[in-house]
Amino acid sequence: MASVNTQFSIAVHVMAAIAHHDGVFASEVLARSVNANPVFVKRILVKLSKAKLAKTTVGKSGGYGLARSPKSISLLDIYSAVNPPDAFAIHTYPKRKECIVSSNIKEVMSDVLVGTEEAVHGHLRQTTLADVVSIIRARSG
Amino acid sequence: MASVNTQFSIAVHVMAAIAHHDGVFASEVLARSVNANPVFVKRILVKLSKAKLAKTTVGKSGGYGLARSPKSISLLDIYSAVNPPDAFAIHTYPKRKECIVSSNIKEVMSDVLVGTEEAVHGHLRQTTLADVVSIIRARSG
DNA sequence: TTATATGGATACTAATATAGTATCTGAAAA
DNA sequence: TTTTCAGATACTATATTAGTATCCATATAA
C-alpha cells in the first residue's frame, strides 16, 4: 500500500550491486551506479547499516560493504530494514458504540492486516540476495 | 490524514454494515454509520458498484445494497474493487547499460512484486464478507 | 405531475508521505 | 594535515490521499 515507496526496490538494487561486485563502495559511487539521488541512496544505506545488513568504514577509502554473506540475507531482511508502509491502512474514524460493525471492524481488519503482512513476509523470506545476484547473472549471460 | 490508503478498510466496513443489516442504504446513511466523510465514502461506493459488488437504486428510497451474497464476496474482491497501490513500487531511474545489475534489477523486482501481490491476494481470498460479519457478531455476543 | 431524495460527477483545498537539493560535522585514512 | 568518507539536518518539490462544496440527471413517492 501503500505504495509509491521505492526504497525497498532501491535497497535491493544497491545491495545486489555490492554483492555482485563484492567490495566496498562509497555511497556516491553506489548512487551513480543506481542512477539515483545521492542523498536518497545515502539515507537508505544508513537504514541498511542500522539493520546490520551493510557494514561501513568511514574516511578515505571507506564506504559500504555487506555485513553478511548474500546467502544469509533475505529480501525480507532488506524489506524490514527500510521499514516500508503496511500493505494497507486501517481507518481511524471514531467508533459508534450503538453499531456492532463499527465497534468491531477495526479489530477484525487488524487481524486481516497481520495475516496479509505475514503473507508478504513469507514470500520475501524465500528469496536471498544471493538468489537475486544469480538471477541477474543468468539473465545477462 | 492521508497517512496511507484506508479505502480498503472503509470498503470492508461499509460492505459489512450492508451485509449485517441486510438492506438498502443511502450513501449518506452509510457514511454516518462509518463516521466517515460522506463524499469519500460515496467515491468508494461508486468503486464497489462498478466492480459489481454493490447494486444501486437511484432516486427517492434508493441506495446501496449487496449485488451478491456475502458468502460469495471475498476480501480480495473488495480489495481489487478499490484498487489500492501495489505492495511496493519499483524505482524508475534509467538503466546504466554497462552495469548488469542496473540492466536487470527492474525485471527481477517486477517478478518479486508479482509474487508478493499473489501472496497478498491469496490471503485475502481466504476470507469472505460472510466470515467478517460472523466474526463481528461473535465478538459482540 | 411535481417535489424530493438519490447516485454520480467535478473542481477545489488540505494534509501527508515521498523524493530531491544543499550544506554541514566529525572521523578516519592517506 | 589534507582529503574523503559516513551521517545528519534543514529545506523544497511533488505525488497521493482525504476533505469540502456544489452541481446534475434520474427515479420515485406523494
Side-chain angles (χ1 to χ4, degrees), chain A residues 41 47 53 64 74 83 85 96 114 125 128 130 132 137 139:
Chain A
V41 170
K47 288 183 183 181
L53 301 179
Y64 290 88
S74 72
N83 192 31
R96 290 176 70 251
V114 168
R125 193 160 20 224
T128 69
V132 170
R137 285 174 180 161
R139 283 182 57 92

Side-chain angles (χ1 to χ4, degrees), chain A residues 3-118:
Chain A
S3 253
V4 282
N5 190 315
T6 61
Q7 292 174 37
F8 172 54
S9 177
I10 293 170
V12 175
H13 190 162
V14 287
M15 289 292 279
I18 297 172
H20 172 66
H21 295 104
D22 191 22
V24 171
F25 307 93
S27 70
E28 300 274 342
V29 173
L30 291 169
R32 261 199 307 280
S33 154
V34 176
N35 250 328
N37 181 275
V39 175
F40 189 39
V41 170
K42 231 175 187 177
R43 286 197 264 241
I44 291 168
L45 286 166
V46 169
K47 288 183 183 181
L48 292 169
S49 176
K50 283 184 177 159
K52 304 207 182 300
L53 301 179
K55 66 163 178 271
T56 70
T57 44
V58 181
K60 222 166 178 175
S61 85
Y64 290 88
L66 296 187
R68 310 204 306 250
S69 82
K71 250 180 113 170
S72 75
I73 297 175
S74 72
L75 292 189
L76 175 58
D77 291 328
I78 299 174
Y79 186 80
S80 302
V82 297
N83 192 31
D86 288 341
F88 59 84
I90 298 173
H91 58 289
T92 57
Y93 300 118
K95 291 179 182 177
R96 290 176 70 251
K97 285 177 189 162
E98 69 275 23
C99 174
I100 73 162
V101 176
S102 174
S103 299
N104 294 283
I105 191 73
K106 283 181 202 175
E107 286 73 16
V108 174
M109 289 309 292
S110 181
D111 287 348
V112 173
L113 177 56
V114 168
T116 305
E117 289 289 302
E118 274 171 7

Side-chain angles (χ1 to χ4, degrees), chain A residues 13 32-35 139, chain B residues 91-107:
Chain A
H13 190 162
R32 261 199 307 280
S33 154
V34 176
N35 250 328
R139 283 182 57 92
Chain B
H91 58 287
T92 56
Y93 300 118
K95 290 180 182 178
R96 289 177 69 252
K97 284 177 190 159
E98 68 275 24
C99 174
I100 73 161
V101 176
S102 174
S103 299
N104 293 282
I105 192 73
K106 284 182 201 173
E107 287 72 15

Side-chain angles (χ1 to χ4, degrees), chain B:
Chain B
M1 302 215 175
S3 64
V4 247
N5 192 315
T6 61
Q7 293 175 35
F8 172 53
S9 178
I10 292 170
V12 174
H13 189 164
V14 172
M15 291 291 279
I18 297 172
H20 172 65
H21 294 105
D22 191 24
V24 171
F25 306 93
S27 70
E28 300 274 342
V29 172
L30 291 169
R32 262 200 307 279
S33 155
V34 177
N35 250 328
N37 181 275
V39 175
F40 188 39
V41 170
K42 230 175 187 178
R43 286 196 264 240
I44 291 168
L45 286 166
V46 169
K47 288 184 183 181
L48 293 168
S49 175
K50 283 183 178 160
K52 303 207 184 300
L53 300 179
K55 67 161 178 272
T56 72
T57 46
V58 181
K60 224 168 177 175
S61 84
Y64 290 88
L66 296 187
R68 310 205 304 251
S69 82
K71 252 181 113 170
S72 76
I73 297 175
S74 72
L75 292 189
L76 176 58
D77 292 328
I78 298 174
Y79 187 82
S80 301
V82 297
N83 192 30
D86 289 341
F88 58 84
I90 298 173
H91 58 287
T92 56
Y93 300 118
K95 290 180 182 178
R96 289 177 69 252
K97 284 177 190 159
E98 68 275 24
C99 174
I100 73 161
V101 176
S102 174
S103 299
N104 293 282
I105 192 73
K106 284 182 201 173
E107 287 72 15
V108 174
M109 289 309 293
S110 182
D111 287 348
V112 173
L113 177 56
V114 168
T116 305
E117 290 288 303
E118 274 170 8
V120 169
H121 292 187
H123 181 256
L124 294 178
R125 191 159 23 223
Q126 289 168 24
T127 306
T128 69
L129 186 57
D131 295 331
V132 170
V133 172
S134 294
I135 293 166
I136 288 170
R137 285 175 179 160
R139 283 181 57 92
S140 80

